[in-house]
Amino acid sequence: MSIFKDLWWFFKQEKRSYLPGVFLLALVAFLELIPPRIVGLTVDYIAEGNLTSDLIWKLMLILLGTAIIVYILRYLWRIMIFGPSVRLARLLRNNLYEHFTKMSPSFYQRRRVGDLMAHSTNDLQAIQQTAGVGVLTLVDSLMTGGFVLIAMATMISWKLTLICLIPLPIMALATNFYGSLLHKTFHKAQAAFSSLNDKVQESVNGVKVIKTFGQEKEEINEFEKQAEDVVKKNVTVARIDSLFDPTIGLIIGISFFLALAFGSHYVLQGELTIGELISFTTYLGLLIWPMLAFGWLFNIVERGRASYDRVSALLKEEVDIKDVDSPKKEVPTGDIIYNVDTFTYPTEDEALLKDIKFELRQGETLGVVGKTGSGKTTLLKILLREFDGIQGNITIGSRSIHQYSLDALRKAIGYVPQDHFLFSATIADNIAFAVPDASFEDIINAARLANIHDDIIGFTDGYQTMVGERGVSLSGGQKQRLSIARALLMNPEVLILDDSLSAVDAKTEESILLALKENRQGKTTIITSHRLSAIGHAHLILVLDNGNVVQKGTHDELMEEDGWYRDMYHRQQLESLVEHGG
Ligand code: ADP
C-alpha cells in the first residue's frame, strides 16, 4: 500500500476533487445500509401481522428514494475520483516525454526503445488505475465493510457478527499468498510485453531489409513466438487472478453457514426476530463486495507499485550532459581549438580518440578523413557535447565549450549527420525545422544552396509536398541535400557535414561546395568525407587512423608527404578515370 504514500503529493494537489469524491463514497456506503433493514422490518411487520398498506407505501418510497440518491451520488463520485487519475497519467506522460528529449545518446544506448514505449503506455495506465480504481476500492471497501459490520453488530447482534467473522483470517492469508504470486508473474508478463514492443519496433524499422532478404516468414514466426510468450505469461497472471474470486466465495459461504446455523438458534431462543436475521444475512451479502474489492486492490496496487517504481527510476535518471552553473548563454563564435588528450565513450574502458590537437581559425574549413571507424564522427560529436568523456579541452572563441549552455552551443552548430532523419511533415517544414519562423524566401535560398530546389519544384506540391513515413519517397541523395538545406537555413557559426555528400554525384558535390564557399564567408565549416575531392579546398585536413591524427596539413602539403592521403588521392583519381571511361 506504500504506493498511496508515494502518490500523496498528487492526492494533495487534487484534494478538491478527491475529498468530495471520498465523502460521497462514504455517503453511498451509508445509504446502502438502509434497504436490508427495510426488508427485515417489513418481514417483522408481516410476522407480527401489523403491516398496513399505508406502511407498505412508506417503506417502498424509502427504498426507491435511496436507490435514486445512490444512483446520482455514484455518478458524481466516479467523475471526482476517476477524473484526477487521468490527469495524473497526463502529468507523468508529459514529464516522461520532456525527460526523454533531454537525455543524451548514451541513455538511448542503455535503454531499449521497446521498454521506453512500455513505460510510456502500460506503466502509466497501471499508475492511472491505482490513482482511480485503486483509491475507489480502498475507500469503498473500507467504508462499506466498516459500516456494514457496525450495522450488523449494533443494530442486530454483536455475538452473531463475531461468529461470522471467524473465516476472515483465512481470507487475509489467501490475499497475501495470491498477492505475492501476482507480483512475480506480473513482472514477467510486463517484461515479455516490452520484448514484443521492441521486436515490433525493430521489424517495422527494418521492414525493407526483411523483405529484401526474403525473411518475412522467419520474422512472422519469431513474432508469433514472442506474442505467444506474452499471452502465456498474461494467462498465468489471469489464472492467479481468477483463483481469488472463488476463494472469497468459499469464505463468504462459510460465513453464511455460520450466520444461518447460529442465527436460527438465536431466533428460536427469542434473542433475534426473523426480520433481523434476514437483514443480517443481507448485510453479510453486502460484505462480499468489499472483500472482493480488497483482492482487486492488491492486484491494482501491485501493478501500480511496480509501474510507479519503473517510471520514477526513469525520471530520476540523471541527465548526464548538463550545463555548468550559470553558463554563458551567448552563441559561441571564434576560433576552434582542440586540445584533447583522450576521449572515451561512457560504455567503453579504452580511449577512442588520442592526442587530438589542432587549431581552426574562424571562417576556415576543416577536412577530416580516414578509414571507416577511425573516429571521424566521434571527433565531431565531442564538439557538439553529445558525449562528455574528454580529457583535455575544446574551446570556441577562447572559452571552453563546457562554459556555454548546451542550447547556445548547439545553436552555433549546424550538424548534418550521416543518418539524416526527416519528419513526417512538408518539405518546407523539414527545412525550417531549426528555424520555424524562417521566411519562405530563406527556405528557398537554403534549398538552392543545397542544390535541391530544382528537385523540390518538380514534385506535385512543391515545397508543400509531404515527406517522411506518409509522404513522397526521396532518394538517398535528395534526403542528404534536404538535411543540408535544413542546416544551412540556420546559417550556423559552424557547419558540420558528416559524410553528408556520400550519396550525391561528384558534380552536385562540387556545386554544393562552391555555393558553401561563397555563402559562408567568415563562418567555419567542418567536412568529413570518404571522397577526398570534398575536402581538397580545406584550410586544414586531418587524417585519422584508429583515433589518432596520423597526418595533418593542407591538400598540397599532404600530397608532398608519403602516406595514406596521397595513396588514397591517387586511388580515387584512378577510380574516377575508370568510371568516366578513361
Ligand atoms: P568514423 O566516423 O570514422 O567511421 P566513428 O567515430 O563513427 O568512426 O566510430 C569510431 C569507433 O567508435 C568505432 O569503432 C565505433 O564502434 C565506436 N563508437 C561509435 N559510437 C560509439 C558509442 N556511442 N559508444 C561506443 N563506441 C562507439
Side-chain angles (χ1 to χ4, degrees), residues 319-565:
V319 178
D320 48 358
I321 309 283
K322 282 189 290 210
D323 284 343
V324 290
D325 291 336
S326 50
K328 298 273 169 249
K329 296 259 168 61
E330 69 259 24
V331 174
T333 83
D335 300 349
I336 298 177
I337 302 175
Y338 268 62
N339 205 349
V340 175
D341 296 322
T342 60
F343 165 75
T344 315
Y345 272 113
T347 47
E348 309 296 315
D349 298 326
E350 258 184 58
L352 186 95
L353 296 179
K354 283 147 275 177
D355 213 21
I356 308 284
K357 297 187 177 165
F358 65 89
E359 295 185 14
L360 191 65
R361 303 270 150 256
Q362 182 172 13
E364 286 187 343
T365 297
L366 171 73
V368 186
V369 291
K371 285 186 276 202
T372 303
S374 56
K376 301 183 292 293
T377 299
T378 309
L379 185 137
L380 306 174
K381 290 206 163 158
I382 56 175
L383 180 65
L384 280 159
R385 282 193 66 203
E386 273 198 21
F387 296 94
D388 254 356
I390 57 172
Q391 293 288 324
N393 206 356
I394 302 174
T395 55
I396 301 182
S398 72
R399 207 177 259 139
S400 161
I401 51 171
H402 287 85
Q403 288 173 349
Y404 296 103
S405 73
L406 275 170
D407 198 41
L409 178 68
R410 289 177 187 166
K411 279 214 170 80
I413 303 173
Y415 178 59
V416 187
Q418 288 169 352
D419 46 353
H420 34 72
F421 184 84
L422 298 177
F423 296 92
S424 295
T426 64
I427 287 185
D429 286 345
N430 263 291
I431 296 178
F433 176 68
V435 195
D437 53 356
S439 71
F440 193 50
E441 274 91 342
D442 288 344
I443 293 176
I444 293 181
N445 199 27
R448 280 217 168 92
L449 285 180
N451 224 301
I452 181 80
H453 174 73
D454 291 342
D455 296 49
I456 297 173
I457 51 174
F459 297 136
T460 353
D461 296 324
Y463 279 82
Q464 298 312 316
T465 307
M466 289 295 290
V467 288
E469 283 174 14
R470 278 161 300 160
V472 67
S473 291
L474 299 175
S475 74
Q478 285 170 329
K479 283 185 196 159
Q480 279 194 340
R481 282 176 284 148
L482 215 56
S483 304
I484 294 173
R486 178 191 285 165
L488 285 177
L489 183 63
M490 276 174 76
N491 194 18
E493 287 301 321
V494 184
L495 173 70
I496 298 180
L497 301 181
D498 188 359
D499 210 10
S500 318
L501 296 164
S502 58
V504 301
D505 57 66
K507 235 177 109 194
T508 313
E509 174 187 279
E510 206 181 313
S511 91
I512 293 176
L513 289 172
L514 195 72
L516 288 185
K517 214 168 169 184
E518 281 169 11
N519 282 275
R520 287 189 53 76
Q521 303 276 343
K523 305 232 162 165
T524 310
T525 306
I526 302 179
I527 303 175
T528 78
S529 177
H530 281 98
R531 238 189 256 146
L532 299 191
S533 57
I535 48 114
H537 67 291
H539 300 86
L540 177 67
I541 297 168
L542 304 177
V543 180
L544 290 191
D545 187 26
N546 202 12
N548 288 292
V549 178
V550 288
Q551 286 186 284
K552 183 167 151 184
T554 59
H555 169 77
D556 292 341
E557 285 164 1
L558 293 180
M559 287 305 285
E560 296 285 313
E561 276 180 29
D562 184 18
W564 184 90
Y565 187 88

Side-chain angles (χ1 to χ4, degrees), residues 158-207:
W158 62 266
K159 262 197 292 183
L160 196 56
T161 309
L162 279 183
I163 290 169
C164 292
L165 290 185
I166 290 172
L168 279 194
I170 309 172
M171 199 194 72
L173 282 178
T175 310
N176 202 349
F177 174 72
Y178 291 131
S180 67
L181 211 57
L182 259 182
H183 180 79
K184 279 187 216 137
T185 44
F186 180 65
H187 257 288
K188 285 187 192 155
Q190 192 73 334
F193 184 71
S194 277
S195 291
L196 188 70
N197 251 347
D198 233 24
K199 173 87 209 145
V200 173
Q201 208 249 346
E202 198 178 279
S203 303
V204 170
N205 277 345
V207 71

Side-chain angles (χ1 to χ4, degrees), residues 19 29 44 73 83 121 125 151 153 155 248 292 389 436 438 456 461 546:
L19 279 179
D44 278 345
L73 296 187
T121 50
Q125 207 177 0
M155 290 200 298
I248 301 292
L292 276 184
I456 297 173
D461 296 324
N546 202 12

Side-chain angles (χ1 to χ4, degrees), residues 294-336:
F294 241 82
W296 285 332
L297 184 64
F298 263 86
N299 188 345
I300 292 165
V301 163
E302 206 57 68
R303 289 176 192 219
R305 170 82 275 161
S307 294
Y308 192 74
D309 287 348
R310 274 193 295 264
V311 171
S312 307
L314 253 187
L315 285 173
K316 271 197 205 116
E317 215 166 296
E318 288 261 340
V319 178
D320 48 358
I321 309 283
K322 282 189 290 210
D323 284 343
V324 290
D325 291 336
S326 50
K328 298 273 169 249
K329 296 259 168 61
E330 69 259 24
V331 174
T333 83
D335 300 349
I336 298 177

